[in-house]
Amino acid sequence: MVTPLTCRNYINGQWLTAVAGATLESRNPANKREVIATFLRSTGTDVEAAVVAARQAYQIWRLVPAPARAEYVFKVGELLSKYKEELAQLICREMGKPIAEARGDVQEGIDCAFYSAAEGRRLFGQTTPSEMPNKFAMTVRMPIGVCALITPWNFPIAIPCWKAMPALVCGNTVIFKPAEDTPACATKLVEIFAEAGLPPGVMNLVHGVGEEVGKALVAHPHVDLVSFTGSSETGAEVGSICGQTHKRVCLEMGGKNAQIVMEDADLELALDGAVWGAFGTAGQRCTATSRLILHQDIKEKFTAMLKERTSKLRLGAGSDPNTQVGPIINERQLQRISQYLDIARAEGAKVLIGGKIATEGELENGYFFQPTILDEVTPQMRVAQEEIFGPVVALIKVNSFEEAISILNNTKYGLSSSIYTRDINRAFTAMRDIEAGITYINGPTIGAEVHLPFGGVKQTGNGHREAGTTTLDIFTEWKTVYVDFSGSLQRAQIDNRE
């Protein structure tokens, strides 16, 4: 048994214990007897110290040229590459995803570092003609200030990188509040930022419970921006608080993503996409395929193919290279998934395979749920409308392409979507008519790339897009600059024409 790590706060360039001194534990979801780390249950006092440090550092950091700021982030990318395997193994133990997925999690952070660093030499504004003679007009990007980054446990390296790296390149300072389930991953990530040489106070880490530390950050008057990834319910609360104080807020929340399989689809390809989309990361992704919308002509055949493939999936610890589906993150989420299966049965859905907590052999020591297929699901059932966040996929039969699009759109979410078809006209119609921030043609609903915008519509988000150049619109303000070199007063919007 490995000695548990001790996770402290990182404030103003120093590793500190919480003022109150209380601690919590992070355990291995594949083996709940193993304590991965102890971490601090911080309070508002610790948040206050982090905000003061970030505020002071901002006044210096914002004046560092953007290309120089970007060099720190590039160095973080190099260090992530150096520690990639160590981080991946830690993700496996603390969060539970299979090792190949864990390496992919770290690789996203690496990709984000190098992409974000390149923006330090761009951060483009615009120049445009003035309506006045001898007058110059342009726009420039300005940093916002202190950014609170509140991140989930399912991508404990990638998502913090998606937020922190562009925020820093843009000239902001950061207070990072990670999920309670992955404090060790967060600590190792911040150690890497510190090793890259960031000045004190530019990157800060505060551990703790969301209802305490998260709320204190969101409500703090000297936090200028909140970037939150998590449930739509919590996101609504975060948005409400920020709205009352006119604070910039970026929300990336839930999804109820669907994959359509039409009668002309390549069924083997669609099957690969469905299995990966539904059961990758044990379904614990906001982009997971939780609904399969199947045309009636291929429904029976495709269902049989899916059932056979699903029955062969191997559950286990993420560190086992043979594992295909890892554990659920904790007991609370495991029971939530189980309760949704009770709801599904009560609503009349048929469990084709799975449907239970997995307890055989070594699985008994962890939080495992059988990969599950629900058949005879109707669009209005709760299991077709609500985010389950587990290895559960609902099958819905349709008679036409138009019905498939209508059912896909008929949820409160709009993050990711997918359609398998050989018909180019249908593909382009789907691209136009699907209500989602992301649409895949002949690909699964998961697989975002860091140089493209990521986010959704409806209750999935509030209009912002992380990743790509669009993330710069989260972490910067536009400033318009006029330079009048006429030597006289020129009054714009005054009608002085004869």
Side-chain angles (χ1 to χ4, degrees), residues 315-372:
L315 276 72
S319 55
D320 182 345
N322 296 314
T323 291
Q324 295 168 291
V325 180
I328 304 306
I329 187 64
N330 55 39
E331 176 70 25
R332 181 179 65 256
Q333 182 61 19
L334 183 69
Q335 293 302 324
R336 182 175 185 270
I337 297 167
S338 183
Q339 289 167 8
Y340 266 106
L341 265 293
D342 293 338
I343 291 168
R345 294 183 181 97
E347 288 182 319
K350 179 181 179 181
V351 179
L352 289 186
I353 190 170
K356 296 179 181 179
I357 294 172
T359 58
E360 61 272 19
E362 294 184 358
L363 301 182
E364 183 180 7
N365 297 319
Y367 307 119
F368 293 91
F369 201 89
Q370 299 171 343
T372 299

Side-chain angles (χ1 to χ4, degrees), residues 285-326:
R285 292 179 181 234
C286 56
T287 55
T289 306
S290 57
R291 294 178 295 154
L292 278 173
I293 301 174
L294 308 176
H295 191 277
Q296 61 179 357
D297 291 355
I298 54 88
K299 165 73 167 50
E300 183 176 351
K301 180 178 180 180
F302 190 81
T303 299
M305 294 167 63
L306 179 65
K307 184 177 179 181
E308 180 184 9
R309 179 78 68 86
T310 302
S311 68
K312 296 177 181 177
L313 293 174
R314 178 179 171 133
L315 276 72
S319 55
D320 182 345
N322 296 314
T323 291
Q324 295 168 291
V325 180

Side-chain angles (χ1 to χ4, degrees), residues 16 27-28 83 127 185 195 226 249 286 317 323 413 441 489 495:
L16 305 172
R27 292 179 177 266
N28 184 342
Y83 296 118
T127 60
C185 292
E195 187 176 340
V226 176
V249 60
C286 56
T323 291
Y413 300 110
I441 307 299
L489 174 64
D495 189 358

Side-chain angles (χ1 to χ4, degrees), residues 217-226 241-249:
L217 280 170
V218 171
H220 199 290
H222 292 146
V223 169
D224 303 294
L225 177 151
V226 176
I241 295 171
C242 291
Q244 293 170 28
T245 56
H246 307 288
K247 186 175 299 184
R248 175 76 65 89
V249 60

